[in-house]
Amino acid sequence: AARRAELRDSTPGIPVWRLQAGTDPQLVTVPWAAWNDEGLYRFVQTDAGLMAALVTGYRAAGADSGLYHQAAGWAQIRRSDILPETLTLSPDGCRAAWLEREIDQTQGLPRLAIGDVCAF
């Protein structure tokens, strides 16, 4: 958290590389948001803008945990006990899938969640 606070003071945002087949790498600066210094997060580029998955808390998700969308001013679009590293997009960029830390009692595995990104 201390290192993130230092970065926030010295940079306009979080540097994220956008890599796509057939194009040169592109550096995108993600604007700071209130939750950037709270926990673990991952960014993905959708057809409708940047999306972020955030989890706070080690045993139980904090109130800020879930999915955020930049087009909505970094508004939380779904509260979730998400595993940020599992957030992925369909090839068309319109459907997101992720695992939640909550265990599905019938399967004994983390729960898979799917959402329509292009609806935003």
Side-chain angles (χ1 to χ4, degrees), residues 87-120:
L87 179 62
T88 190
L89 294 175
S90 62
D92 67 0
C94 279
R95 298 197 46 93
W98 63 92
L99 292 176
E100 295 183 341
R101 291 193 294 186
E102 179 180 327
I103 300 297
D104 180 329
Q105 298 305 315
T106 60
Q107 300 280 328
L109 299 170
R111 186 170 58 181
L112 175 66
I114 299 173
D116 185 1
V117 176
C118 291
F120 300 105

Side-chain angles (χ1 to χ4, degrees), residues 1-77:
R3 179 68 179 127
R4 290 183 195 175
E6 289 174 20
L7 286 173
R8 179 177 238 154
D9 292 340
S10 63
T11 60
I14 301 167
V16 176
W17 286 100
R18 179 194 247 168
L19 306 174
Q20 248 179 326
T23 64
D24 291 333
Q26 180 184 14
L27 180 62
V28 178
T29 302
V30 178
W32 292 107
W35 46 263
N36 286 141
D37 58 356
E38 289 192 36
L40 300 173
Y41 49 87
R42 170 180 161 86
F43 295 103
V44 294
Q45 179 67 46
T46 73
D47 287 349
L50 280 173
M51 177 180 270
L54 166 73
V55 68
T56 60
Y58 292 105
R59 298 194 190 276
D64 291 334
S65 294
L67 295 174
Y68 290 79
H69 199 258
Q70 184 181 15
W74 285 124
Q76 186 180 51
I77 57 174

